Amino acid sequence: MKFALAGGLAALFSLAVTAQPATPFKLGTFERQGRTFVGVVLGEAVVIDLAAAHAAITNPASSIAAPADMKDLIARYDNGLRARIAEIVRAVGATRPAYVYAVSALKILPPIVYPTTMLNVAVNYREHDIEMARVRQGDTTQAAPTAGAAPAGTVSAPGIWERAQGDTRWNPFMFIKAPAAIVAQGESVRLPVGRTQVEWECELGVVIGKPAARVSQAQAMDYVFGYTLENDMSDRGGRGDSRFGSDWLIAKNHDTFAPLGPFITPKEFIADVGKTGMKFVLNGQLLQEGTTAQMIHTVPEQIVYASNILTLRPGDVIATGTPPGVGSARNPPILLKAGDRMECSYDGVGTLTNPVVAP
């Protein structure tokens, strides 16, 4: 087994020497023997301890400081760390130094511990709006689906979202997702006490790379570092009254309601984020399948909207909405129960897997 593992690692690393352009990699945060570190993930199978490799590899020499954590890496990625990571991958080559591990030998932590701000986009797929009409029954504020079309009376939000002439879509809608709700790959989503209408929303997460305030659409993608996954857990049980409409704290922010990860894929390794396929599987059954091409508001538009409300910082995450196929809108509904296993996947970004447990 040791020989087979070493041979597999050698094959992976040999790609790093010859591949042009640079071998695709992902970035994650890991724990081993009580120590937390940022790692470079190759082939979803092995991890280079970035700080240890940086210290050990002196040919080529580097004056760049090793990242303290993922936020620091993101903030300095375009100021030397991108090139240094590529050097380290090449230098490791076909060997297996002591600072290279199998993913299975490490504890995977949330890739960003923790974002300063997490924003989620509500109902950003037309078909999802149509299916959620079943869930909204009795909500007098919007009882019927519009499939993303602007409801009567929609106008611009001055200083935040100016409606272009001929734009028939509704305005973007975002809500805060609490970083305190984050759990990592493989960690359990815990059903809240007394709450029986809990479901999933498999979403692409956009990771911000540098401070973004009042960003233009033409420049929006310059502020993206990469992509991760968020399973936007949702409690459809309501708050027992109708004060102020929807309660996004209850619906979205129970403990463990923000599975995030497993890794971050830098944006240069995703060919077209506007045409990225996704799937969600529950207990082996495919329940969601779609593509980001179905979005109502694109990734650049979401960055424009968010950055005109508050300044986004390196490591902040925008979860971009979910395609149709959620459980509460099905007939009969499919609601989560203890023992379920969720798998949220986006092409090129990875698969985020979490079990469901009782309160």
Side-chain angles (χ1 to χ4, degrees):
M1 288 296 294
K2 288 183 178 178
F3 178 81
L5 179 59
L9 289 168
L12 279 170
F13 286 127
S14 66
L15 290 174
V17 179
T18 58
Q20 292 294 333
T23 302
F25 58 81
K26 298 179 182 180
L27 299 163
T29 302
F30 304 90
E31 182 181 304
R32 182 178 182 271
Q33 298 179 348
R35 185 177 69 88
T36 299
F37 64 92
V38 174
V40 180
V41 184
L42 297 178
E44 305 284 339
V46 295
V47 177
I48 303 171
D49 181 334
L50 182 53
H54 178 69
I57 296 170
T58 57
N59 185 19
S62 175
S63 61
I64 299 293
D69 56 19
M70 186 64 76
K71 286 185 182 178
D72 183 34
L73 185 156
I74 291 169
R76 295 193 291 120
Y77 188 68
D78 289 330
N79 294 316
L81 279 176
R82 182 207 307 262
R84 183 56 174 164
I85 291 170
E87 288 176 349
I88 287 170
V89 171
R90 287 193 294 269
V92 168
T95 64
R96 191 189 177 187
Y99 47 76
V100 176
Y101 308 101
V103 171
S104 58
L106 304 173
K107 180 179 181 181
I108 300 174
L109 301 180
I112 307 162
V113 188
Y114 289 93
T116 301
T117 301
M118 291 179 66
L119 296 171
N120 284 34
V121 183
V123 193
N124 194 40
Y125 288 75
R126 292 175 174 83
E127 297 84 355
H128 183 47
D129 176 47
I130 294 170
E131 70 175 359
M132 290 305 289
R134 299 189 189 98
V135 183
R136 290 199 302 264
Q137 288 176 0
D139 179 358
T140 57
T141 62
Q142 189 182 323
T146 69
T154 298
V155 297
S156 294
I160 298 173
W161 183 256
E162 298 295 336
R163 296 182 61 79
Q165 186 175 3
D167 189 349
T168 62
R169 304 167 299 170
W170 55 23
N171 295 340
F173 188 110
M174 289 186 175
F175 59 91
I176 292 286
K177 191 83 172 183
I182 289 175
V183 291
Q185 158 75 10
E187 288 192 295
S188 298
V189 169
R190 188 172 66 249
L191 297 173
V193 174
R195 310 302 290 183
T196 60
Q197 300 181 49
V198 177
E199 66 177 342
W200 65 89
E201 292 192 5
C202 177
E203 307 198 5
L204 178 72
V206 176
V207 181
I208 298 300
K210 57 185 178 180
R214 306 195 67 80
V215 172
S216 70
Q217 187 166 327
Q219 296 179 319
M221 294 304 293
D222 294 341
Y223 292 84
V224 174
F225 171 74
Y227 306 99
T228 190
L229 304 177
E230 186 197 313
N231 194 346
D232 178 23
M233 306 305 301
S234 302
D235 176 357
R236 304 300 184 187
R239 53 169 287 120
D241 65 27
S242 58
R243 287 202 314 150
F244 311 123
S246 299
D247 189 318
W248 296 92
L249 178 64
I250 289 175
K252 300 290 188 176
N253 286 289
H254 293 283
D255 287 340
T256 75
F257 263 36
L260 188 73
F263 314 125
I264 301 171
T265 301
K267 67 180 179 182
E268 60 263 34
F269 301 125
I270 299 296
D272 186 350
V273 73
K275 296 179 181 178
T276 300
M278 65 78 64
K279 292 181 180 179
F280 176 84
V281 174
L282 180 67
N283 303 328
Q285 180 183 3
L286 179 64
L287 294 180
Q288 281 184 286
E289 185 171 20
T291 169
T292 56
Q294 299 168 283
M295 285 183 181
I296 296 170
H297 294 104
T298 65
V299 168
E301 289 174 322
Q302 293 173 37
I303 294 170
V304 170
Y305 182 80
S307 71
N308 274 278
I309 300 172
L310 78 171
T311 298
L312 303 173
R313 296 170 173 81
D316 284 355
V317 177
I318 299 175
T320 55
T322 198
V326 299
S328 63
R330 293 175 176 270
N331 187 16
I334 299 176
L335 300 170
L336 293 172
K337 62 186 185 303
D340 284 343
R341 176 183 172 87
M342 304 177 290
E343 299 176 35
C344 168
S345 302
Y346 276 77
D347 293 347
V349 183
T351 298
L352 175 64
T353 303
N354 300 91
V356 180
V357 299

